[in-house]
Amino acid sequence: MTPFQPGRARPLSALRAFLQHEASGGYVLMVAAALALIIANTPLAGVYFSFLGHHLGFSLGPVSLDESVLHWINDGLMAVFFLLVGLEIKREVLDGQLSRPSRIILPGMAALGGVAAPALIYLIFNAANPDTRSGWAIPSATDIAFALGVLALLGPRVPTSLKIFLTAIAIMDDLAAIVIIAIFYTAELHLGALAVSAGILAVLILLNRFGVKALWPYLLGGLLLWFFVLESGVHATLAGVALAMVIPLRKSPACPDDVTSPLHRLEHVLHKPVAFVIVPLFGFANAGLSFTGVSLSSLMDPVPLGVALGLFVGKQLGVFLTAWTIVRLGWADMPKYASTGQLYGVAVLCGIGFTMSLFIGNLAFRQAYLVDETKIGVLVGSLASALLGLLILRVSKSDVPESDEPQPAALADDVQMNLR
């Protein structure tokens, strides 16, 4: 990383690393999901599902944990994913794309529309059924790795401003999903464990206030926080978000984006493991779906139909119509060099909801057949969104004369201007 020096252009390491790792990680996630689907429909299916159901545990004095491999991935490793999400949200709010109201309006309102519309479409098919209406949040989130992976296939055809716009929407989607999980998917609270969690968090806040820059005290406290949040009944992954909020981001007028701050150091360490190991492993563990007994008529069941249409129709309508309206009202500018067609194409890509949609589906339903129906809806809706979004962006042209199209160096400067 290049440190910031007065008189020099501000480094782009954080955003550049995010875009590169998420896009490349998206390809690995695609392979992992495809591999899971293949294995689940071969003679190896029994081994696959047996392995995910195998229990692993340990006891250390009064501390005892015994969970299936699937739960260790979903409740344990995904806490690290949420930690990285929390770090990205904090950095963007304090010192990035979301640090000023003028930057938040367009992606913020578009993200809000992209959360509300899919939920409403899902409820059209499931509101009357108490067993399935709890899945209303499943189609509400965008999978940034998949979406950026698709965008990367188009190369410089898509303006960098739209990649920033998509990233901001996905980050806000994740923030909305965190709030939704905390409020709507906490079944039972154990106040004693919750009180201990609050005490640990208070200690971590004090470490921040006293200027402790070493990462190990925060990580040790975060491990304890994860255990007691798990015991409290609140979903354990939220411990990762809480830990992210107390990791220090030190900045000053002379160094507004200090890459040596604890937050930047931890974010840099986590990018590759999360993008290339944790998220693909989650996809491999959760995408496995046996097609035995599955037919086209299965898609007409309320859950898969609501999820698929929520992602494919609800996301694009919610994001595009909201963003288009905001621009037409003059409340925000269109992303630089982007045409209306390209904006619509990116809105369609927001319907790729793989990782977070599957994650919420596991929280919403305890019945195995509903989890499988969720997978059908997520796969169909996400695939349709990816293909249509890719087609639209291939045929859409930037809203700028060809002679004025920015070269790679100019695109980098444009990212810098967006980050200032």
Side-chain angles (χ1 to χ4, degrees), residues 282-297:
F282 171 85
F284 178 77
N286 288 272
L289 172 67
S290 174
F291 292 122
T292 303
V294 175
S295 63
L296 288 177
S297 61

Side-chain angles (χ1 to χ4, degrees), residues 111 114-116 118-119 136-142 173 177 180 311 315 357 360:
V115 170
W136 61 270
I138 293 171
S140 64
T142 297
D173 271 357
I180 289 170
L311 287 170
K315 267 294 184 181
S357 294
I360 294 177

Side-chain angles (χ1 to χ4, degrees), residues 288-367:
L289 172 67
S290 174
F291 292 122
T292 303
V294 175
S295 63
L296 288 177
S297 61
S298 302
L299 187 57
M300 296 297 105
D301 290 341
V303 169
L305 187 61
V307 171
L309 291 181
L311 287 170
F312 182 61
V313 178
K315 267 294 184 181
Q316 60 175 280
L317 289 181
V319 171
F320 177 72
L321 290 181
T322 303
W324 181 82
T325 300
I326 295 298
V327 171
R328 294 285 292 180
L329 290 174
W331 295 356
D333 295 327
M334 179 76 77
K336 194 173 182 180
Y337 300 119
S339 65
T340 302
Q342 288 178 320
L343 181 66
Y344 177 57
V346 167
V348 174
L349 289 185
C350 288
I352 303 174
F354 188 81
T355 303
M356 195 64 77
S357 294
L358 291 178
F359 187 83
I360 294 177
N362 285 325
L363 298 180
F365 302 131
R366 290 290 178 260
Q367 303 96 320

Side-chain angles (χ1 to χ4, degrees), residues 19 23 27 147-164 337 342 346 349 389-390 393-394 396 398 405-408 411:
L19 293 176
Y27 300 141
L148 285 176
V150 173
L151 278 183
L153 296 175
L154 297 164
R157 186 187 298 267
V158 178
T160 302
S161 61
L162 274 181
K163 297 176 183 178
I164 297 172
Y337 300 119
Q342 288 178 320
V346 167
L349 289 185
L390 185 62
L393 289 169
R394 275 199 175 278
S396 298
S398 298
E405 280 288 350
Q407 299 303 310
L411 284 173

Side-chain angles (χ1 to χ4, degrees), residues 96-318:
Q97 185 67 15
L98 309 179
S99 61
R100 297 177 186 173
S102 60
R103 298 172 176 174
I104 296 175
I105 292 175
L106 187 62
M109 295 300 292
L112 183 62
V115 170
L120 290 174
I121 288 179
Y122 179 89
L123 287 173
I124 288 174
F125 300 97
N126 292 275
N129 188 340
D131 292 331
T132 62
R133 62 177 172 230
S134 60
W136 61 270
I138 293 171
S140 64
T142 297
D143 191 301
I144 186 61
F146 258 129
L148 285 176
V150 173
L151 278 183
L153 296 175
L154 297 164
R157 186 187 298 267
V158 178
T160 302
S161 61
L162 274 181
K163 297 176 183 178
I164 297 172
F165 175 69
L166 175 61
T167 301
I169 288 178
I171 288 174
M172 290 185 176
D173 271 357
D174 287 341
L175 179 58
I178 289 166
V179 173
I180 289 170
I181 291 170
I183 296 176
F184 296 100
Y185 295 108
T186 298
E188 182 181 1
L189 286 177
H190 300 283
L191 296 182
L194 194 62
V196 175
S197 301
I200 294 171
L201 188 59
V203 172
L204 294 174
I205 292 173
L206 288 176
L207 291 177
N208 182 303
R209 294 298 184 189
F210 282 113
V212 176
K213 294 184 179 181
L215 280 172
W216 71 264
Y218 296 100
L219 298 180
L220 179 59
L223 185 61
L224 294 174
L225 181 65
W226 173 84
F227 173 77
F228 285 102
V229 169
L230 177 67
E231 294 295 302
S232 73
V234 178
H235 200 272
T237 53
L238 296 181
V241 180
L243 175 60
M245 295 303 105
V246 301
I247 301 294
L249 173 64
R250 301 297 179 205
K251 59 179 184 175
S252 66
C255 189
D257 190 15
D258 184 4
V259 295
T260 66
S261 70
L263 186 145
H264 274 280
R265 297 195 332 260
L266 183 57
E267 191 177 13
H268 180 70
V269 168
L270 292 180
H271 263 142
K272 288 183 179 179
V274 169
F276 296 111
V277 179
I278 292 177
V279 172
L281 187 57
F282 171 85
F284 178 77
N286 288 272
L289 172 67
S290 174
F291 292 122
T292 303
V294 175
S295 63
L296 288 177
S297 61
S298 302
L299 187 57
M300 296 297 105
D301 290 341
V303 169
L305 187 61
V307 171
L309 291 181
L311 287 170
F312 182 61
V313 178
K315 267 294 184 181
Q316 60 175 280
L317 289 181

